[in-house]
Amino acid sequence: MKIRENIYHVGVVDWNLRKFHGYSTPYGTTYNAYLITGEKNILIDTVKPYCADEFIQRIEEIIPVEKIDYVITNHAEMDHSGTVDYIISKSNATLICSPKCKENLEKHFHSHYEKIITVENGEQLTLGNVTLKFIHIPMVHWPESMATYLVNDEILFPNDAFGQHLGCSKIFVDEVGIDIVIREAKKYYANIVNPYGNSVKKVMEALKNIPLKMIAPSHGLIWRNTSDIQTIIKKYNDWANNTPGDKILIVYNTMWHSTEKLAKQCYIKATEKFPAEMFDLEIADIADVVAEIPDAKLVLFGSSILHNQILPQMAGLLTYLTGLKFKNRKAWTFGSYGWSNVPFEKFEKDIKSAGFDLLSNGYYVQFVPDKNNLVEIQKIFVEKILGSL
Ligand code: FEO
């Protein structure tokens, strides 16, 4: 698929992917790769090994694979580097990557690259009739991550940055609708990039002075309209700064619906003032819960107690959140217990360790809440929690 004169999208849609190392991908994903043809033929990134046949076919609809002169690898993770060796074995192309990427590729594939150019941050290469600039973007989201900038056409190929797990036969954001793509870009950022906000801020600073006519990531849709490019740049700045939104999220894990009853009382009162969403962890996927945190200012966590611990899905969520390092979000807790409420002390401690500002002690009920409990949790929630926002 041509995206500009002599520039082709040769990536593959992975329609059947439903999990990407734990991240739910209900629409599948894409592994985008780009072919620039001209005096030299340049391939930017590759695809997962099991997509190799379709990938080669897509390249060969444009040029024989043997005619590829250079393969640029922006990132060593295997969804983009998984067929680098295969392409090189068929084409004898020269590999271009950062020094760190060379090291990481060798540790993945245990290959020796005879024809290789390692590029430093800011370095430019003129290959035939095109000039490329290489911008290192360490920890967005791996140490060797790099963006390639096509100077002639002002197109940025930033690999995972600005991407979305959104399998789609369309190529451009404006063909699908900005709201859908932003929703998926937010989910991607929250689940994959969020721990590296300080690195993202440096990248956004570096991109400030670079004219961008197109941002072509390695997952999902390509940003080509000026207003869409401005939107995703603004979103990345907000997300990197952990700017809270206005939503209230109520996330709970319940055994016999007691915790759920408490959750519903909070939800009813929350919606009187703010947009709110409720997630039952027996049903909701944690990647979808996390996807809403960038839009939230307050997260309520509720759990029942089993074997003197909070329920396992909630414990898993807290472990996941600890790694994701969200900041600037308030939190409150509630739950139901059988014979000891002591495990809630650890629950509250773990929420603080995950980076949330706990507003007050939680509200906990033995066994099943009665009418008074339901009134009481509403009152505390409205006065102490909503009242402090
Ligand atoms: Fe899409 Fe970090 O790989």
Side-chain angles (χ1 to χ4, degrees):
M1 178 80 73
K2 190 186 273 190
I3 62 167
R4 271 291 169 89
E5 204 51 42
N6 299 322
I7 307 171
Y8 301 85
H9 180 295
V10 289
V12 172
V13 181
D14 192 349
W15 290 107
N16 294 333
L17 189 82
R18 289 294 175 271
K19 285 271 179 192
F20 196 107
H21 42 58
Y23 175 137
S24 58
T25 52
Y27 315 106
T29 193
T30 70
Y31 314 113
N32 300 343
Y34 300 94
L35 180 66
I36 303 170
T37 59
E39 290 173 17
K40 298 291 179 190
N41 297 314
I42 304 157
L43 182 65
I44 301 179
D45 289 321
T46 69
V47 301
K48 271 188 182 172
Y50 63 71
C51 302
D53 288 349
E54 184 181 337
F55 181 44
I56 297 289
Q57 187 178 338
R58 287 186 179 278
I59 293 169
E60 297 223 310
E61 281 168 8
I62 301 155
I63 56 164
V65 74
E66 295 79 18
K67 296 218 175 236
I68 296 172
D69 298 294
Y70 297 95
V71 182
I72 297 169
T73 296
N74 282 318
H75 177 28
E77 196 165 12
M78 286 184 279
D79 49 333
H80 308 296
S81 67
T83 42
V84 166
D85 286 9
Y86 185 56
I87 293 284
I88 289 175
S89 72
K90 284 191 157 265
S91 63
N92 200 26
T94 299
L95 175 64
I96 299 175
C97 65
S98 69
K100 188 73 187 169
C101 189
K102 173 179 181 278
E103 197 183 310
N104 288 354
L105 285 174
E106 286 169 350
K107 284 175 184 163
H108 275 81
F109 303 108
H110 312 291
S111 302
H112 173 68
Y113 301 103
E114 281 180 11
K115 291 171 70 181
I116 182 164
I117 301 171
T118 53
V119 286
E120 299 297 333
N121 183 34
E123 191 172 336
Q124 286 199 178
L125 282 182
T126 296
L127 305 173
N129 55 336
V130 302
T131 300
L132 298 159
K133 183 173 180 174
F134 302 96
I135 305 161
H136 290 194
I137 53 171
M139 299 320 295
V140 183
H141 68 127
W142 274 23
E144 81 292 343
S145 292
M146 182 174 85
T148 298
Y149 180 65
L150 176 57
V151 176
N152 310 48
D153 293 82
E154 300 181 346
I155 301 177
L156 186 73
F157 300 93
N159 198 267
D160 281 327
F162 308 110
Q164 332 93 42
H165 282 315
L166 183 52
C168 184
S169 62
K170 303 291 185 192
I171 295 286
F172 297 104
V173 170
D174 51 280
E175 296 178 297
V176 172
I178 182 88
D179 291 349
I180 293 169
V181 184
I182 286 289
R183 185 192 68 203
E184 295 307 316
K186 174 164 62 83
K187 179 174 177 181
Y188 190 98
Y189 187 97
N191 281 277
I192 294 175
V193 189
N194 198 71
Y196 313 111
N198 287 336
S199 305
V200 176
K201 282 190 230 172
K202 286 183 199 156
V203 171
M204 301 313 287
E205 200 54 42
L207 293 182
K208 256 186 184 169
N209 301 318
I210 296 177
L212 295 174
K213 289 217 172 79
M214 205 180 269
I215 300 176
S218 291
H219 295 291
L221 287 304
I222 298 171
W223 310 85
R224 68 173 169 184
N225 284 352
T226 306
S227 65
D228 292 346
I229 291 172
Q230 286 169 346
T231 300
I232 190 63
I233 296 271
K234 181 181 180 320
K235 289 288 182 188
Y236 257 61
N237 278 309
D238 287 347
W239 297 335
N241 283 300
N242 264 282
T243 308
D246 61 352
K247 267 190 195 173
I248 295 179
L249 306 182
I250 299 158
V251 189
Y252 66 93
N253 207 178
T254 192
M255 277 175 74
W256 287 101
H257 303 289
S258 292
T259 300
E260 184 175 51
K261 283 178 184 164
L262 300 173
K264 283 186 176 162
Q265 295 312 309
C266 297
Y267 173 76
I268 288 165
K269 298 317 279 182
T271 52
E272 288 175 4
K273 277 190 160 183
F274 301 103
E277 288 193 41
M278 202 155 62
F279 297 92
D280 178 350
L281 290 178
E282 281 293 328
I283 297 154
D285 186 277
I286 59 169
D288 290 325
V289 175
V290 164
E292 294 310 317
I293 294 180
D295 289 342
K297 60 175 155 190
L298 170 68
V299 185
L300 269 54
F301 296 91
S303 182
S304 312
I305 298 299
L306 174 71
H307 306 317
N308 240 15
Q309 306 289 332
I310 56 166
L311 292 183
Q313 288 88 347
M314 179 58 76
L317 174 67
L318 294 184
T319 300
Y320 190 44
L321 285 173
T322 302
L324 289 172
K325 297 190 171 83
F326 283 98
K327 295 185 183 78
N328 305 331
R329 267 78 186 180
K330 296 184 165 67
W332 192 50
T333 54
F334 60 92
S336 161
Y337 61 95
W339 37 98
S340 170
N341 63 4
V342 171
F344 289 119
E345 288 172 17
K346 183 171 183 304
F347 186 34
E348 294 183 8
K349 198 168 147 249
D350 288 349
I351 289 166
K352 280 191 209 163
S353 301
F356 290 82
D357 304 324
L358 213 52
L359 286 173
S360 149
N361 292 337
Y363 185 82
Y364 308 115
V365 172
Q366 190 167 22
F367 292 118
V368 179
D370 63 12
K371 264 189 179 174
N372 289 336
N373 293 131
L374 300 182
V375 170
E376 192 176 38
I377 189 171
Q378 274 202 358
K379 190 169 165 7
I380 295 171
F381 177 58
V382 170
E383 289 175 6
K384 281 198 176 168
I385 308 303
L386 292 184
S388 70
L389 295 180

